[in-house]
Amino acid sequence: MLPDLIVTNARVLTMDDANPRAEAVAIAGGRILAVGRRAAIEALAGPATRMIDAQGRTALPGFFESHLHLVLGGAELAHLQLGGIYGAEPLGAAFRAYGAANPGKPLLMAQGADYAMFGGRPITRQDLDAIIADRPVAMTAYDHHTVWANTAALAAAGLLQGAAMPAGHEVVMGPDGLASGELREFEAFAPVIALGGELRLNLGIATGGEPDPWPVEAERAIDRAKIARGLAHCAAHGITSMVNMDGNRYTLELLRELRDAGGLTARVKVPFHFKPTMDLSELDRAVAMTRDYDDDWLQSGFVKMFMDGVMDSGTAYRLDDYPGQPGHRSAPLFGPDRFKAIATEIDRRGLQIAVHAIGDGAVRVTIDGIEAARQANGPRDSRHRIEHIELIDRADVPRLGALGIVASLQPSHPPGAMDFPLFPSLDKVGRNRWPDSFRVRTLAEAGAPLAFASDWPVTDVAVLRNIQAALTRVPYEGAEDERVGLMAVLRACTAGGAWAAHREGVTGRLIPGLAGDLVVLGGDIEATDPQDVGRMGIALTVCGGRVTHQA
């Protein structure tokens, strides 16, 4: 078979310990045909082979985003972006300019708001009313667990007088008996999201349910277009595979329609989202999704759960009190005994478990549940995983490695690592707990498999900036250095993510017979200062033999 594409004159990092380096890669029929020395690979070319000279740049397996939100991110590319904006005047200028440019939008929605935007005091609806009062306005926190809305948005969404919410979701009330403007967690702010016409795309993360009635083709076309924008954005960042950490059958159907039309430019896994209000019988839906979507490009096969919220809003579940808040530790969204029963049943069905756990209490409940599942069902190659692990008790560190639990981490999220300031986030953790926060090297040394991701749209899906953060993060006072080496970081962004998703046979290593997924960086990463990695850019992205991005 003659190659369709050859990438040559590259510094190829294969992530294959037996053959770690090469100079060129040949691809045929969407699969890796050969990896090796430049002269040998170039000799394979036929008259129709496309030759790409990498000019000495680094090439490696396509980035495997182990935790992102493709659908939400694609939709939010059209929203106002607030990264780096602080204070009433800059915020007002940004919103007014966005409103003027979008006169017909039913909701002016912004992304990336910092909890400390107004100097650390709580943000209120009155703050947003002072900017625009006659149109619904809202902004989402950078962690996507809090939305702040003005009075017009709250009234239009039916939340101004408050509303009953499931445990863990809250419409925060003000001293005047009306909603303060702060909406905590997804079901609380879903009615505001609905004002902008994007509720369908949020069901996967908010309720785990399906749109009812099922969207007609015109509605699906609108939603597919938003996903396509997200896919193009990911391809430009070198991403060829991803675990979409929210979803439902509707998400999978939109992706299937894109795939059938030739528009799916990355391999995607989508979970069944199990909510605390669900009965175990709902797992039949997870099994059906796993059966119905199982090919090279589109899969399910795992169950996503939220054990808690986030530290900044005080909804993460801790083993100790929040600083300055005696008695406040939040609570797990699943009680320990119930979670053990759920985890055991998920594992019995042969599905993977992925749990959002931020606080050390949430992490412990999750570990206990996975351990109970293993004891009940026996050991297997489950690769159950915990997402984020921002705080972990030292006694629990070795348990991840012992149980084979994947540490799914985001190197750019620790306060002070990249875009997130040290405070007030570290104030929420408490100085005495800094050494237990955002542990990476400690978990790896304890045997936990690492998988790195950006959690887009929490950050700008900038994988290279994520790598930069992992290499350059400054230790917290009194804490150990939690950085890991360059090759360990690159592995966690490629082969590690593939392994964690049970996809290492497809995208994990650039060896003959595997999928044609690779990324060529904008330079030689090994000759680049770690401080400059984030500015290298992506020169080329290839997925399944197709060039999906070329700078």
Side-chain angles (χ1 to χ4, degrees):
M1 180 183 293
L2 295 176
D4 306 314
L5 172 68
I6 288 178
V7 177
T8 187
N9 188 22
R11 299 175 184 270
V12 182
L13 306 176
T14 69
M15 303 302 152
D16 179 15
D17 293 336
N19 298 285
R21 307 280 173 146
E23 297 172 337
V25 181
I27 298 170
R31 314 291 288 184
I32 299 292
L33 178 66
V35 179
R37 292 190 176 277
R38 178 177 181 179
I41 301 301
E42 289 180 352
L44 300 175
T49 300
R50 180 181 181 184
M51 302 287 292
I52 295 179
D53 186 347
Q55 301 178 340
R57 297 182 174 98
T58 296
L60 65 161
F63 288 133
F64 198 114
E65 264 285 292
S66 192
H67 183 128
L68 57 57
H69 300 274
L70 170 69
V71 179
L72 302 183
E76 291 172 8
L77 287 172
H79 297 171
L80 174 62
Q81 305 301 315
L82 297 179
I85 292 180
Y86 292 86
E89 187 173 337
L91 179 65
F95 257 120
R96 284 188 286 270
Y98 182 71
N102 295 276
K105 275 189 177 290
L107 171 69
L108 298 179
M109 174 58 83
Q111 302 295 328
D114 196 312
Y115 288 87
M117 180 174 282
F118 286 89
R121 68 166 176 80
I123 301 170
T124 68
R125 60 184 170 87
Q126 289 86 356
D127 291 320
L128 297 179
D129 288 347
I131 294 170
I132 297 177
D134 60 348
R135 296 177 65 180
V137 167
M139 60 184 188
T140 304
Y142 54 67
D143 59 24
H144 271 67
H145 284 256
T146 299
V147 165
W148 296 275
N150 71 349
T151 302
L154 292 167
L159 299 174
L160 187 58
Q161 308 295 327
M165 290 290 159
H169 305 254
E170 181 182 6
V171 177
V172 178
M173 302 303 291
D176 60 358
L178 300 176
S180 72
E182 182 175 348
L183 308 169
R184 296 176 179 170
E185 300 299 327
F186 300 96
E187 293 197 50
F189 50 73
V192 171
I193 300 296
L195 299 177
E198 293 174 348
L199 184 61
R200 290 191 304 270
L201 296 180
N202 277 263
L203 287 174
I205 197 167
T207 70
E210 306 292 344
D212 186 18
W214 192 260
V216 299
E217 167 56 25
E219 294 171 319
R220 299 201 309 277
I222 292 171
D223 293 344
R224 287 197 304 270
K226 293 174 181 177
I227 296 176
R229 286 199 297 270
L231 285 166
H233 191 66
C234 288
H237 288 280
I239 296 168
T240 61
S241 296
M242 61 187 72
V243 177
N244 188 67
M245 270 297 169
D246 63 84
N248 51 9
R249 181 172 286 270
Y250 182 58
T251 303
L252 285 159
E253 272 299 290
L254 293 174
L255 291 166
R256 182 193 61 78
E257 290 168 0
L258 282 168
R259 182 201 65 196
D260 292 349
L264 188 57
T265 56
R267 306 171 197 275
V268 189
K269 291 198 72 166
V270 176
F272 173 76
H273 186 176
F274 193 93
K275 298 284 288 183
T277 54
M278 291 180 177
D279 184 79
L280 283 177
S281 62
E282 294 279 359
L283 292 174
D284 291 344
R285 294 167 54 198
V287 172
M289 286 165 54
T290 299
R291 177 197 65 223
D292 296 342
Y293 304 89
D294 186 20
D295 59 44
D296 222 23
W297 289 83
L298 193 57
Q299 287 188 334
S300 185
F302 76 109
V303 177
K304 166 71 182 298
M305 305 171 74
F306 281 89
M307 188 58 70
D308 64 350
V310 292
M311 204 70 69
D312 280 296
S313 66
T315 53
Y317 172 46
R318 300 174 58 125
L319 295 173
D320 61 345
D321 295 346
Y322 277 82
Q325 302 180 65
H328 176 54
R329 301 184 176 191
S330 192
L333 297 179
F334 294 88
D337 290 339
R338 181 158 190 256
F339 180 70
K340 288 177 182 177
I342 295 169
T344 298
E345 179 61 16
I346 294 171
D347 183 74
R348 186 190 68 79
R349 292 173 181 244
L351 301 171
Q352 188 181 21
I353 301 167
V355 180
H356 165 115
I358 295 284
D360 54 350
V363 171
R364 177 169 293 176
V365 171
T366 303
I367 296 173
D368 289 347
I370 292 173
E371 184 176 49
R374 182 186 178 108
Q375 291 171 347
N377 301 324
R380 66 179 182 88
D381 187 18
S382 58
R383 307 183 198 180
H384 299 318
R385 44 194 290 166
I386 303 180
E387 312 300 318
H388 310 306
I389 315 180
E390 292 189 3
L391 188 65
I392 184 169
D393 188 87
R394 297 177 194 186
D396 291 324
V397 168
R399 300 178 66 199
L400 271 76
L403 292 167
I405 298 173
V406 176
S408 175
L409 308 175
Q410 296 71 44
S412 62
H413 283 191
M418 287 290 288
D419 299 330
F420 301 113
L422 282 169
F423 303 102
S425 293
L426 277 182
D427 285 333
K428 285 285 189 177
V429 173
R431 184 176 295 270
N432 65 314
R433 299 305 307 279
W434 289 4
D436 302 322
S437 301
F438 298 95
R439 310 198 80 166
V440 179
R441 191 180 71 181
T442 298
L443 293 176
E445 290 176 347
L450 295 182
F452 284 172
S454 69
D455 198 11
W456 186 56
V458 174
T459 57
D460 188 30
V461 76
V463 180
L464 291 176
R465 296 188 326 119
N466 217 31
I467 294 171
Q468 179 181 340
L471 294 172
T472 61
R473 172 185 165 194
V474 177
Y476 300 142
E477 182 181 331
E480 299 175 22
D481 186 347
E482 292 292 343
R483 291 174 293 182
V484 293
L486 173 61
M487 290 308 298
V489 172
L490 294 178
R491 182 176 294 276
C493 293
T494 55
W499 184 88
H502 292 273
R503 299 290 279 164
E504 74 276 14
V506 177
T507 57
R509 298 176 293 172
L510 287 184
I511 59 176
L514 298 187
D517 298 354
L518 70 153
V519 56
V520 178
L521 306 183
D524 175 14
I525 194 168
E526 292 182 290
T528 303
D529 188 309
Q531 296 286 352
D532 296 325
V533 169
R535 291 184 284 274
M536 288 179 65
I538 303 298
L540 181 76
T541 304
V542 180
C543 186
R546 289 185 289 160
V547 176
T548 57
H549 169 79
Q550 189 166 8

